[in-house]
Amino acid sequence: MNILFLGAPGCGKGTQSKILIEKYGIAQISTGDLLREEMSSQSDLGEKIRSIMAKGDFVDDKLVLSLVSKKIESNECKKGFILDGFPRNLSQAKSLDTLLENMSKSIDHVLFIDVPDEVLIQRCTGRLLCDTCDYIGNKDRGENIGDPCPVAEGTLYQREDDKEETVRNRLEVFKDQTQPIIEFYEEKGKLNKLIGGNDPKLLASKINKIINI
Ligand code: ADP
């Protein structure tokens, strides 16, 4: 099963992807994570990526496409995959179509999680990550940068691009570049729109109903 998640930063794509991975044994392809991995290698390319991401702008289409295609071809994706954060503009969506066609694969479900801007800004600017595990905390829950992770041995930190000014730019870029993709999949009759509230379990059960058809 191949799934594509669409939605603005902080809409909950990552959280829902993790739930589906566990349930179906498919792989998550998060271009944000792949780029952060590349960044941590401290190569020249990594440094270039860091400065683009710090502003909330998009990394070069060709680079992202090559990371995605390598991952789809890997053994990890044998049972299927979830695309999270790709495609992010019309050109990437068209490239993905060609890539999948050449591999005789297709996307089974396109899921768009719609969340109001103010909620997205609050979620992203409050979000805290663990440097050791997948735990996602939030300042709303009284957690702070530097606190010990409640799950693993790690420490909580804030992503560089979760600062308010950058989050606002990411939302602008989403509206400008990614919104057209929503229409692209709608015209193909593939789009499922979901309203993302504050209850991840409720959203997960709505997603389940769609993909179990
Ligand atoms: P979010 O969805 O919360 O913005 P991601 O981790 O998916 O977080 O992306 C973080 C950043 O990585 C983006 O702001 C962008 O700079 C870069 N990025 C991720 N995916 C892509 C992509 N498909 N194309 C170009 N840049 C990307």
Side-chain angles (χ1 to χ4, degrees):
M1 175 166 44
N2 302 327
I3 294 174
L4 166 54
F5 268 119
L6 291 173
C11 73
K13 301 185 293 280
T15 304
Q16 295 303 323
S17 298
K18 296 217 160 73
I19 296 174
L20 293 174
I21 290 164
E22 279 180 24
K23 195 160 176 205
Y24 295 101
I26 52 182
Q28 179 188 19
I29 307 179
S30 156
T31 41
D33 286 349
L34 292 173
L35 291 166
R36 278 184 286 275
E37 254 169 52
E38 190 67 51
M39 215 164 79
S40 65
S41 73
Q42 289 179 347
S43 59
D44 284 352
L45 177 63
E47 284 313 306
K48 211 170 127 195
I49 294 172
R50 181 188 304 281
S51 73
I52 296 171
M53 278 175 85
K55 286 186 263 170
D57 294 336
F58 284 174
V59 172
D60 178 62
D61 284 351
K62 263 197 203 143
L63 168 67
V64 180
L65 186 69
S66 85
L67 292 174
V68 170
S69 85
K70 240 191 267 168
K71 196 84 177 181
I72 294 180
E73 277 168 351
S74 76
N75 242 350
E76 250 181 271
C77 291
K78 246 182 17 204
K79 283 193 186 168
F81 55 82
I82 302 174
L83 283 170
D84 160 11
F86 180 90
R88 245 176 157 95
N89 60 29
L90 216 43
S91 147
Q92 291 183 5
K94 289 178 182 164
S95 303
L96 176 66
D97 269 2
T98 313
L99 179 77
L100 292 178
E101 216 176 290
N102 290 341
M103 292 175 169
S104 306
K105 290 182 191 288
S106 62
I107 299 290
D108 301 300
H109 306 284
V110 180
L111 305 167
F112 165 44
I113 310 176
D114 198 15
V115 176
D117 278 8
E118 286 317 307
V119 177
L120 295 170
I121 291 170
Q122 200 188 359
R123 278 191 198 165
C124 285
T125 55
R127 175 161 67 181
L128 297 171
L129 306 179
C130 171
D131 60 10
T132 310
C133 72
D134 280 347
Y135 177 76
I136 302 174
N138 203 292
K139 291 179 191 164
D140 278 358
R141 303 202 286 263
E143 293 170 316
N144 286 301
I145 297 170
D147 281 357
C149 171
V151 178
E153 293 261 312
T155 305
L156 302 185
Y157 72 96
Q158 183 179 40
R159 245 169 66 178
E160 209 178 327
D161 58 351
D162 275 346
K163 308 226 159 65
E164 182 162 346
E165 199 191 321
T166 312
V167 171
R168 287 191 184 275
N169 185 44
R170 281 158 64 202
L171 284 180
E172 282 307 310
V173 176
F174 174 81
K175 287 196 183 118
D176 190 42
Q177 304 273 323
T178 313
Q179 203 79 35
I181 305 188
I182 293 164
E183 285 145 36
F184 176 78
Y185 288 110
E186 205 160 28
E187 278 163 21
K188 285 175 180 270
K190 280 204 161 187
L191 192 82
N192 292 284
K193 182 172 165 175
L194 296 139
I195 306 295
N198 277 326
D199 185 349
K201 283 198 183 130
L202 180 65
L203 184 57
S205 83
K206 288 187 200 165
I207 291 175
N208 252 321
K209 279 192 196 133
I210 294 172
I211 63 183
N212 277 328
I213 291 173

